[in-house]
Amino acid sequence: MRDGARTICFLTPTRLSGHGDSLGVLRTEYEDVAAAFRELGFRAVIADAETPDFLRTVLAIGSEPHSILFGHMFYDMTVVAGGLPPIPLADVLPASFVSYVGDHPIAPFMRGRVSHLHHCQIAFVFDPDFIEQIRVLNPEVRVFRHLPGLSFGVPNVEPRPFAERAFDAVIAFRYKPLPRPAQIEPALTDPVLGEALTATEEALLDDCARPLFAVFSQNLAATAGITPAVLRAEDPARFAIALDALHYVDFFIRNERRRRLVERLLSQAGRLKILFVGCSPDEFGAATPAGADVRVVQHLPFVHLMEAYRDARFVVHSHPTYPGALHERFLNGAACGAVVVSEPVPVYREHFVEGQEWFAVREGFSLAEVASVMGAELEAMGRRAWDKVWQKFSPLAHARRILAALEDLAGARMPDAPCEARRLPPG
């Protein structure tokens, strides 16, 4: 951060359905990170899109030259007046705009926003795979930093003893049906796109370690001899169809991975007491396990879900299609002292010790068998993961990473060529 930059404003999206934060997850994240910035001596403000003074707050803080406006969803903020073209706020406010891209930039709800990222001083990305997506969509963006993730919405208190926890496992993820785009069939049979899309789906159904866009780009080069950037330049209409189809493939992969994970874990459920949040087993196409005590809750606010995590020995997590990100559900499960069970994603093995701080679901892995055999060691595993999360992935550690990146950027001359992303240290 530049000298005198003592104010950071977090722009929190509305909770309206389809507008970015319907469950209040980002609101909770920003509240925790803002508190960490205050602990570090900064003025930290929340601009809440659901309050009448949202724009007033943005304009007041944005008029301060040394302030930072930080947000997931507001790279494209504009003011519109009758008879005038939209005016991007980043063009008229002297504060620095800093983005955090937390989902695939190629997704339909992200593409328009990413086109305005060149206004941002720096683009933080949740997964390094997002960098090439942004570069293809908006070559003007030059500076990236990778923020791997943080735990939030969980109090830093002693974990509840396993003997007092109400559930053996909490499984909280949804089957998310996506309307099949009209152009999906033509895209899958398209002579340029079809083979690459099909190969991407087949590869990622069985391999959680590879990133979505990189795999598609490799397949497109191998099957059609073209890169996404060249396709965008030479055939924009086909490029748009490719991204719509890839978005559909992405959701299909996520749904199918969740189904397989539930089916594998519950093949031998025994007498486990399991809380499903969002979907029942049959909604995934998996049979409800005989003998298990299964409860289903269709909706839990984020804060209440974290309470359920604190009350479970296992938290089952299905990782999305960005394997370079430490997903908050994994970190939050560990921050509650639970043993997290997920796919064998490399980023977890990079930061946590498999078999000692979490379990990767592999062939023959059964939740009931592990729960019965491990005994008291499970609680020690949860305790080790809890300790690591609060040391390395707390809101305070996250705030320090952001500050380190901004100070590093302020001390260096802006490059003329694209800047490679650098992984920030976890602590």
Side-chain angles (χ1 to χ4, degrees):
M1 255 184 193
R2 295 166 294 183
D3 292 340
R6 308 300 297 177
T7 301
I8 183 165
C9 180
F10 294 94
L11 282 62
T12 303
T14 176
R15 294 187 65 168
L16 292 175
S17 179
H19 288 78
D21 198 29
S22 59
L23 298 177
V25 176
L26 294 183
R27 180 183 311 270
T28 305
E29 174 184 338
Y30 285 171
E31 287 170 350
D32 284 4
V33 178
F37 270 95
R38 294 184 195 112
E39 188 175 340
L40 293 172
F42 289 82
R43 178 184 175 224
V45 178
I46 302 288
D48 187 339
E50 292 199 332
T51 63
D53 63 349
F54 171 70
L55 184 58
R56 184 186 306 128
T57 301
V58 172
L59 293 175
I61 293 176
S63 65
E64 302 171 6
H66 298 301
S67 293
I68 298 290
L69 296 169
F70 186 106
H72 278 68
M73 300 293 181
F74 295 100
Y75 333 132
D76 56 349
M77 284 193 72
T78 58
V79 172
V80 180
L84 296 175
I87 302 171
L89 289 186
D91 284 351
V92 295
L93 295 178
S96 296
F97 278 68
V98 173
S99 69
Y100 186 38
V101 182
D103 206 342
H104 287 295
I106 60 168
F109 66 93
M110 291 290 292
R111 289 178 217 161
R113 294 186 171 104
V114 169
S115 70
H116 294 270
L117 268 177
H118 60 275
H119 293 297
C120 293
Q121 178 191 34
I122 182 172
F124 287 108
V125 292
F126 194 29
D127 187 295
D129 188 52
F130 296 173
I131 296 169
E132 192 56 33
Q133 297 181 41
I134 294 169
R135 285 178 172 162
V136 170
L137 293 168
N138 187 347
E140 294 182 50
V141 184
R142 296 175 180 273
V143 184
F144 301 92
R145 294 294 185 273
H146 174 223
L147 285 177
L150 80 154
S151 177
F152 58 90
V154 180
N156 186 6
V157 297
E158 284 287 313
R160 186 172 297 155
F162 272 27
E164 299 176 10
R165 299 195 179 204
F167 302 103
D168 290 296
V170 171
I171 301 176
F173 39 80
R174 294 179 180 274
Y175 179 84
K176 296 181 178 179
L178 187 70
R180 192 173 179 87
Q183 64 267 40
I184 189 67
E185 292 302 335
L188 292 176
T189 57
D190 183 273
V192 174
L193 305 177
E195 195 173 345
L197 288 166
T198 301
T200 300
E201 177 184 306
E202 291 174 350
L204 295 185
L205 280 175
D206 296 316
D207 189 349
C208 302
R210 300 173 66 192
L212 176 74
F213 193 69
V215 170
F216 172 70
S217 299
Q218 292 163 7
N219 287 329
L220 189 64
T223 60
I226 194 171
T227 67
V230 171
L231 181 64
R232 179 179 185 266
E234 295 185 352
D235 194 342
R238 182 177 262 148
F239 177 74
I241 291 172
L243 296 193
D244 287 342
L246 189 59
H247 178 64
Y248 180 85
V249 167
D250 174 32
F251 267 79
F252 175 80
I253 292 167
R254 296 192 197 197
N255 282 337
E256 181 61 15
R257 283 184 184 172
R258 290 167 182 152
R259 185 193 68 78
R260 293 183 184 184
L261 188 65
V262 170
E263 196 171 59
R264 177 173 291 178
L265 287 176
L266 301 185
S267 60
Q268 301 176 43
R271 297 185 175 275
L272 295 183
K273 188 171 184 178
I274 303 172
L275 174 65
F276 279 86
V277 180
C279 285
S280 62
D282 60 283
E283 288 178 84
F284 289 101
T288 301
D293 181 356
V294 174
R295 285 182 54 193
V296 179
V297 178
Q298 291 296 332
H299 173 76
L300 272 184
F302 183 75
V303 174
H304 294 164
L305 177 60
M306 295 306 101
E307 293 173 359
Y309 278 10
R310 292 193 69 235
D311 214 15
R313 295 196 294 159
F314 291 101
V315 165
V316 177
H317 168 65
S318 181
H319 198 79
T321 51
Y322 31 78
L326 282 165
H327 199 266
E328 69 269 8
R329 294 293 176 87
F330 183 104
L331 293 176
N332 281 3
C336 293
V339 176
V340 180
V341 176
S342 189
E343 296 98 338
V345 180
V347 72
Y348 296 144
R349 297 201 300 271
E350 179 181 341
H351 295 284
F352 294 87
V353 181
E354 183 183 343
Q356 296 184 29
E357 295 169 337
W358 70 293
F359 282 123
V361 179
R362 301 180 184 278
E363 194 67 38
F365 186 98
S366 163
L367 199 58
E369 184 178 358
V370 173
S372 63
V373 171
M374 299 298 291
E377 173 59 17
L378 287 176
E379 189 161 358
M381 287 182 66
R383 167 69 66 157
R384 287 191 291 268
W386 172 82
D387 186 59
K388 181 170 287 186
V389 164
W390 286 108
Q391 284 186 35
K392 297 187 175 183
F393 301 104
S394 68
L396 188 60
H398 195 70
R400 285 179 171 142
R401 290 189 193 100
I402 294 171
L403 284 176
L406 295 176
E407 288 169 355
D408 177 59
L409 185 65
R413 182 173 298 175
M414 291 292 285
D416 294 325
C419 175
E420 294 298 327
R422 299 193 307 181
R423 284 183 178 268
L424 297 172

